Amino acid sequence: MDTNYDVFDILGISRKEDSYTNLVKYLFDNWNGFKQKFIKKFVGDKAVYKKDEFELETRNTIDLEIEVEHSRKKIVPDMILYSKEEIIIIENKIFSGEGYEQTNDYSSETALKKIEQKFNIKNAKFYFYFMTLDGIEACSSKFKPIKWSDLIINCCDDTSEIKKDPRLKILVDDLVQRCEQYENVLEPADNESICTYLNKRTKFITTENLFKTYMLKVLKDINKKYNFNYEFSTAGNMNGHVSLVYLYKNDWRGIEIEEAKQGDSCRFIHIEFNMPENLKEINLCIHYEGYPYKRAGEWNKLKKDENKKKIIEDYEAKRKKFKDNIYSKLNPNWKRIGKCITLVETSISKQVELQEMKKWAEENVEFAYNLIEEFK
């Protein structure tokens, strides 16, 4: 029997965020010890004395009637914890990233008024939490980051209350084990390749988590030298699932296309590492795209807009000039790509040891950085 599988794997729900949200709701409603600690975690000590006043709702649709800033007519917060006075909005992102400006819309004045109406609470005191595996920050500064494992391990530390319900205890034990394994993942060794390191996948520890941990070690000295902004993400293409991280300086990313008055003010230039799961190499690229990213159909629609046509033409002309300039300075390690986003690319085998990967990354990031700074 393969003991690496648990109830979540057997039921095929291990990668479904709503399943974990639903379990938290069930524990809140049926386990008093969990409920007390859950409320205290989000509201503070005073909540211990008002625990019976709090209720938890999940995936509750709030109709806004009018579009908020980023074109949402409704919001669906993962969890809303509320009493007669407080409303706590909890957005749960275990595997997925935040939707475009999602937390800004969820904490907008329009949304908060509708939430108060939904729960019949006047002048509520609002709290906001963004719950992820790594405790990352949300787009909105109103949302306080919190780690999934901190919540679960803290709220489930004493299971004596549920020992008479073996089915529930199995679920809780499996959930806690997932969190503990995630927290205890080891950093890669200096002689470890990323291929070997990815074999440590288990439970919550996904390819994306391991890619991030590995690349943070690869990029440690690079970030000290250049002080890049960096963002991790995922994508998919003909080569399967792609884990990626991109690096950029503040002046490499402009304003949004809709607000731009000239072409080079809405660009986003960045250096990207990407790892397609079905290929044997990791790629390092220079990207030049409009900000925010637009699909081909959206881009063509903008080009037909009389108010944006000249700005788009100006953007495309300046992008071409930038591309031609860096093509003229390429060294033999790099190749031209010329796609709608990627301009140039260099690659290295996934089999190389971490120290060799660091050396390759440092040399080529320096080359890419100098090109961008010269021609941006």
Side-chain angles (χ1 to χ4, degrees), residues 117-160:
Q117 292 173 14
K118 180 86 173 182
F119 295 101
N120 195 26
I121 301 172
K122 293 183 179 180
N123 302 316
K125 184 173 183 179
F126 280 91
Y127 303 80
F128 305 91
Y129 288 90
F130 191 63
M131 193 158 63
T132 64
L133 287 173
D134 295 310
I136 64 174
E137 294 184 353
C139 285
S140 170
S141 59
K142 294 179 182 177
F143 277 75
K144 181 179 178 180
I146 186 171
K147 292 178 71 172
W148 234 90
S149 54
D150 287 349
L151 174 75
I152 297 302
I153 293 172
N154 176 266
C155 292
C156 300
D157 63 343
D158 182 2
T159 58
S160 58

Side-chain angles (χ1 to χ4, degrees), residues 341-357:
I341 296 176
T342 308
L343 300 181
V344 293
E345 178 181 277
T346 185
S347 305
I348 193 171
S349 170
K350 294 178 185 176
Q351 299 288 349
V352 303
E353 295 181 356
L354 185 140
Q355 285 300 317
E356 185 177 348
M357 178 80 73

Side-chain angles (χ1 to χ4, degrees), residues 48-248:
V48 174
Y49 307 104
K50 303 194 302 179
K51 59 182 180 298
D52 294 333
E53 296 181 11
F54 279 86
E55 299 293 337
L56 181 67
E57 295 287 339
T58 59
R59 306 293 298 165
N60 211 314
T61 300
I62 312 293
D63 291 316
L64 302 179
E65 296 179 4
I66 61 171
E67 289 186 359
V68 290
E69 184 177 352
H70 302 101
S71 302
R72 285 186 173 88
K73 291 185 177 180
K74 64 179 181 180
I75 60 172
V76 189
D78 290 314
M79 291 183 271
I80 297 179
L81 178 67
Y82 67 97
S83 67
K84 295 177 181 179
E85 301 172 355
E86 294 103 347
I87 297 177
I88 300 92
I89 299 173
I90 307 165
E91 194 57 23
N92 176 29
K93 298 294 183 186
I94 302 180
F95 306 114
S96 63
E98 179 179 349
Y100 180 60
E101 298 287 345
Q102 186 177 10
T103 52
N104 280 324
D105 286 347
Y106 281 24
S107 57
S108 67
E109 185 176 344
T110 301
L112 299 187
K113 285 181 179 179
K114 290 296 180 181
I115 292 171
E116 284 183 326
Q117 292 173 14
K118 180 86 173 182
F119 295 101
N120 195 26
I121 301 172
K122 293 183 179 180
N123 302 316
K125 184 173 183 179
F126 280 91
Y127 303 80
F128 305 91
Y129 288 90
F130 191 63
M131 193 158 63
T132 64
L133 287 173
D134 295 310
I136 64 174
E137 294 184 353
C139 285
S140 170
S141 59
K142 294 179 182 177
F143 277 75
K144 181 179 178 180
I146 186 171
K147 292 178 71 172
W148 234 90
S149 54
D150 287 349
L151 174 75
I152 297 302
I153 293 172
N154 176 266
C155 292
C156 300
D157 63 343
D158 182 2
T159 58
S160 58
E161 188 181 339
I162 58 170
K163 63 183 180 181
K164 294 182 180 180
D165 187 341
R167 294 168 297 182
L168 180 57
K169 191 171 186 306
I170 287 171
L171 277 170
V172 170
D173 288 345
D174 285 348
L175 181 60
V176 170
Q177 184 185 53
R178 283 173 172 263
C179 292
E180 289 176 339
Q181 286 182 341
Y182 187 84
E183 286 300 298
N184 295 324
V185 63
L186 298 175
E187 284 194 351
D190 287 345
N191 64 348
E192 193 167 18
S193 73
I194 196 165
C195 273
T196 304
Y197 190 64
L198 290 179
N199 289 330
K200 296 179 179 178
R201 289 187 297 265
T202 176
K203 313 292 184 183
F204 276 157
I205 307 171
T206 63
T207 297
E208 296 88 357
N209 307 139
L210 294 171
F211 174 79
K212 180 177 181 179
T213 304
Y214 195 91
M215 291 306 298
L216 284 175
K217 195 163 184 180
V218 169
L219 297 171
K220 184 177 180 180
D221 292 335
I222 291 172
N223 285 332
K224 284 182 181 178
K225 182 175 181 179
Y226 297 104
N227 194 28
F228 282 121
N229 300 301
Y230 60 89
E231 297 178 23
F232 286 85
S233 188
T234 59
N237 60 25
M238 60 185 295
N239 296 312
H241 184 86
V242 181
S243 300
L244 55 90
V245 55
Y246 49 92
L247 319 175
Y248 62 95

